[in-house]
Amino acid sequence: MTTLQKQQFFEHTIYATIAILIFATPIINALLMAYQTNGKTEITRPAIDMWIITSPFFFLFLINNYVLIPEMQSLSQTIPATAETENPETLFVKSDYKVVRINIDSINYIESMSEYIRIYTDEREKPVTTLYSLQRLEARLPAHFMRVHRSYIVNMQKIKEISRSRICFSPKALIPVGENYKEKFMEYIRKHGIL
């Protein structure tokens, strides 16, 4: 169950509880207003009026619970997963008290700095710094982004050259390839290169 479905279920439960309280109260009130005379139970006029007023709402409540909600649940199971599993084209990142939009294809590499990450792009001179983990971001990026070091994720399509286990994006940007990531990295290079 996704977060959205959990939220909808929670809201539905709250609304259902409120509806039961609203619609059941007049019925209970009507039963309390009933009285017995000569062995027969008679219902007073205010109780009948209350039942007439609330019965359409109670009927709608029943339709909502037993017809519409199950229909929505069956539809939600047939609809394919949305943006949580798709590869997005952009990322919205909170940085310096504002939300910055970053095109994923413009990202060169991402550097981890304990709890923060720096995102280096073609579009900006300075990196975008945000409070986020490298591991969580790695799960959201497309397949052509690869973890090459415990502190770096690189866009494999933006690499300019590789020299002595270092990835070069510019003369100042040299990214080391960690020993634990070297085999996977070289396998990708061999697969997409002529070596």
Side-chain angles (χ1 to χ4, degrees), residues 38-177:
N38 298 332
K40 291 182 176 179
T41 301
E42 293 182 11
I43 300 177
T44 60
R45 182 73 192 166
I48 293 169
D49 291 344
M50 202 58 107
W51 176 254
I52 290 169
I53 291 168
T54 59
S55 59
F57 296 106
F58 190 70
F59 180 69
L60 290 172
F61 170 73
L62 291 175
I63 288 175
N64 181 46
N65 273 359
Y66 298 105
V67 178
L68 299 177
I69 298 300
E71 185 70 26
M72 283 174 49
Q73 289 172 343
S74 66
L75 280 174
S76 70
Q77 291 171 355
T78 59
I79 295 171
T82 55
E84 290 182 353
T85 56
E86 293 176 1
N87 289 332
E89 294 178 7
T90 60
L91 280 175
F92 287 95
V93 177
K94 192 172 184 179
S95 178
D96 298 327
Y97 305 104
K98 58 189 172 197
V99 177
V100 180
R101 179 181 177 172
I102 299 173
N103 290 324
I104 289 183
D105 289 334
S106 74
I107 297 173
N108 291 325
Y109 62 97
I110 302 157
E111 178 184 13
S112 173
M113 301 169 48
S114 74
E115 296 155 5
Y116 289 87
I117 58 170
R118 282 186 176 165
I119 302 172
Y120 293 83
T121 67
D122 292 332
E123 299 171 342
R124 299 171 184 273
E125 289 181 24
K126 293 183 179 178
V128 177
T129 305
T130 187
L131 179 64
Y132 208 73
S133 79
L134 203 61
Q135 186 176 5
R136 284 175 59 201
L137 184 60
E138 183 180 15
R140 295 190 60 190
L141 293 170
H144 60 273
F145 282 84
M146 183 182 288
R147 186 96 172 245
V148 296
H149 189 273
R150 66 183 178 88
S151 300
Y152 292 97
I153 294 175
V154 299
N155 183 346
M156 299 298 283
Q157 296 176 344
K158 297 279 186 161
I159 294 174
K160 293 197 171 123
E161 55 184 69
I162 304 162
S163 173
R164 297 180 190 159
S165 295
R166 287 186 167 184
I167 301 166
C168 179
F169 289 98
S170 71
K172 292 181 181 178
L174 296 172
I175 310 299
V177 178

